Amino acid sequence: MGRRRHFRWEFMVSSTTGDDTAKGTVSPHLTRLLVRAGIAAGLDRSRLAGVPGLSVLDEDGIRIPTATILRVWELISGSAWQTGGSNRVMELWRPGGLGVWDYLFAVSGTLGDAFQVASRRLTAIADPADRLVVTRDEDGGVTVSWQGPYRDHPDYPMIAEFATYMMLVMAGSGAGRRITPVRVHLPHRSPAAPRQLMELFGTRRVEFETGEPSITFARADMEAPLPRADPALAAILDDHARLSVVTARPVLGWLDRFHAVLESAVAGGPPGLDQVAARLAMSPRTLQRRLRDEGTSWREELERLRRRRVDRLLRETTLSVESIAARVGFTDSRALRRAIHRWYGHGPAVIRAGGPT
């Protein structure tokens, strides 16, 4: 493989227009596909009850909490995903299934143009913290990398695989033919049967433990004219993608915002009440009162989030108890072990032996 050298930014990434108002939210389009795929794979609908934002998922012109889509990722992960989850989701996709964003690929002049505008308007489907970065490589290929703030999330490998595969599907939809990538980079360890991923991406050059998830296309594929190119319509859709973010109505109740801030705080280490209250622009006393009004408490909410994450990490990763403690915000492994005994009545080894749920 030729050595990759990011010698210049090929495309500008992500307009900031509307990013402040969209912070902590995503378009509902991808979440709809994930929910449908999960149900088709046997997910019990009752497990979706109470997930913030799902009750209005079919409405247009809204944005739902980013914490909602992360919770859906958790619910659909496991053994069902290991049997072709990325493909199952994208099999449900039809043009417009990701809103105006996927139409940008249909009307652009080339795939290079398509990824340029898609990276700039990624917030039309994703959280403003997500980015697509497009670079030209030393060997002539063009690499599209996905960068998201979810590296410590238990389901990051699954999210990274899907984001990479979605880019391949979008490229094929714009070109009107199957595109064979030059190579694919995934951040997680190679699975026991990597052939399944090679078949998914259509190439044997799938490499693991490579940092950011990315997919590299041949220069000829990126520069070939697309069959449905329409410059005038492309300009209209570009502006529509921008407006879809600016005019969207965030569906964020107060408790939803609290959950989103708490998720973010736990990812950075042991969270404090003062820290989360400051992010919500309120005093610690007011935060505690608001939680009481919702029938819960700081301790209960923190415990619930930690327990869910610990359960997933023990069952579906090989991380040590010490590493899990650090990721979930415990001061040390002893504190985590005490919490596990309090929750389950036994130690972490029993949970790990049970495997994925």
Side-chain angles (χ1 to χ4, degrees), residues 79-91 161 196 200:
S79 58
W81 187 269
Q82 304 307 320
T83 57
S86 293
N87 187 51
R88 179 178 291 117
V89 176
M90 292 311 296
E91 280 181 339
E161 174 201 309
Q196 186 178 32
L200 178 72

Side-chain angles (χ1 to χ4, degrees), residues 6 38 41 181 207 251 253 324 351:
H6 300 297
E207 301 183 20
V251 180
I324 293 174
I351 303 169

Side-chain angles (χ1 to χ4, degrees), residues 104-161:
L104 298 172
F105 288 85
V107 297
S108 294
T110 66
L111 282 182
D113 296 335
F115 276 108
Q116 178 183 13
V117 67
S119 66
R120 188 170 67 245
R121 300 302 180 202
L122 185 62
T123 303
I125 63 165
D127 190 293
D130 291 282
R131 298 199 312 159
L132 290 183
V133 178
V134 187
T135 55
R136 187 180 297 279
D137 299 341
E138 186 178 50
D139 56 11
V142 177
T143 295
V144 184
S145 303
W146 171 70
Q147 299 177 353
Y150 317 112
R151 190 173 295 274
D152 289 331
H153 191 276
D155 295 310
Y156 175 70
M158 179 175 67
I159 298 170
E161 174 201 309

Side-chain angles (χ1 to χ4, degrees), residues 254 258 273 277 280 282-291:
W254 178 83
F258 168 78
L273 175 65
L280 290 166
M282 62 179 64
S283 70
R285 180 175 296 179
T286 299
L287 172 56
Q288 290 175 313
R289 177 178 57 78
R290 294 291 298 271
L291 288 171

Side-chain angles (χ1 to χ4, degrees), residues 19 57 74 102 183 188 201 219 243-244 272 325 335 344:
D19 280 7
L57 200 58
E74 292 178 3
D102 57 33
R183 58 183 171 267
H188 52 82
F201 286 102
R219 179 177 179 178
L243 290 172
S244 72
Y344 300 100

Side-chain angles (χ1 to χ4, degrees), residues 67-68 70-71 74 152-154 256-271 276 296-313 324 327-330 336 339 342-344:
T68 295
L70 292 175
R71 178 61 180 142
E74 292 178 3
D152 289 331
H153 191 276
D256 299 330
R257 292 196 299 274
F258 168 78
H259 286 152
V261 170
L262 184 60
E263 287 266 4
S264 174
V266 168
V276 172
T296 185
S297 68
W298 166 259
R299 183 183 180 88
E300 289 174 9
E301 291 295 326
L302 183 58
E303 189 106 329
R304 187 176 296 118
L305 174 61
R306 283 174 163 172
R307 179 172 179 170
R308 190 170 70 241
R309 286 194 168 193
V310 167
D311 188 85
R312 181 60 49 80
L313 288 168
I324 293 174
R327 289 194 178 208
V328 182
F330 283 90
L336 173 56
R342 184 172 68 252
W343 296 334
Y344 300 100

